[in-house]
Amino acid sequence: MPLSVSLSIEGDTTVIELTGELDAKTAPEFHQTIEKAAGHGTSTVEIRMAGVGYMASAGLRSLVFAQQKVADHVTIKVVGAIEPVSRTIRTAGLDRSIVLSDD
């Protein structure tokens, strides 16, 4: 399944909304969006993942890439990830540096 990526600004938050599968084939599109988001200067980058049904290890690498691209004071928040995706993030230990939220 392809990945659909959208980018918007809501106040002081850059919102990236993902729908589909985040894997090695689709990660480059997400990376391009992260590059754009990093330049907006907002205090939070919110990655809405409710529509992501599958995330491979390339998706984890993409989240690490996001951490590397944004400024140190910027919070990365993953919102609405289904249990298998959020479990993968927690198992990798990324929940220590990325905020996981249900809403």
Side-chain angles (χ1 to χ4, degrees):
M1 176 181 213
L3 183 69
S4 172
V5 182
S6 67
L7 177 70
S8 62
I9 304 291
E10 295 179 7
D12 197 29
T13 301
T14 300
V15 176
I16 300 172
E17 187 150 359
L18 305 175
T19 304
E21 295 182 355
L22 185 53
D23 56 22
K25 186 175 180 180
T26 60
E29 183 179 358
F30 182 38
H31 286 201
Q32 290 174 347
T33 306
I34 291 167
E35 293 268 3
K36 291 176 189 173
H40 284 147
T42 55
S43 66
T44 304
V45 173
E46 183 174 295
I47 303 169
R48 296 180 182 168
M49 297 184 74
V52 175
Y54 171 77
M55 183 176 72
S57 60
L60 289 174
R61 287 190 300 276
S62 294
L63 293 175
V64 171
F65 176 79
Q67 288 179 299
Q68 295 168 342
K69 284 304 198 179
V70 301
D72 289 338
H73 66 278
V74 174
T75 301
I76 297 177
K77 185 175 181 182
V78 172
V79 178
I82 63 172
E83 178 54 31
V85 172
S86 62
R87 183 175 48 239
T88 299
I89 293 168
R90 285 191 306 275
T91 300
L94 287 176
D95 61 324
R96 287 179 237 142
S97 55
I98 292 174
V99 177
L100 281 175
S101 173
D102 291 335
D103 46 83

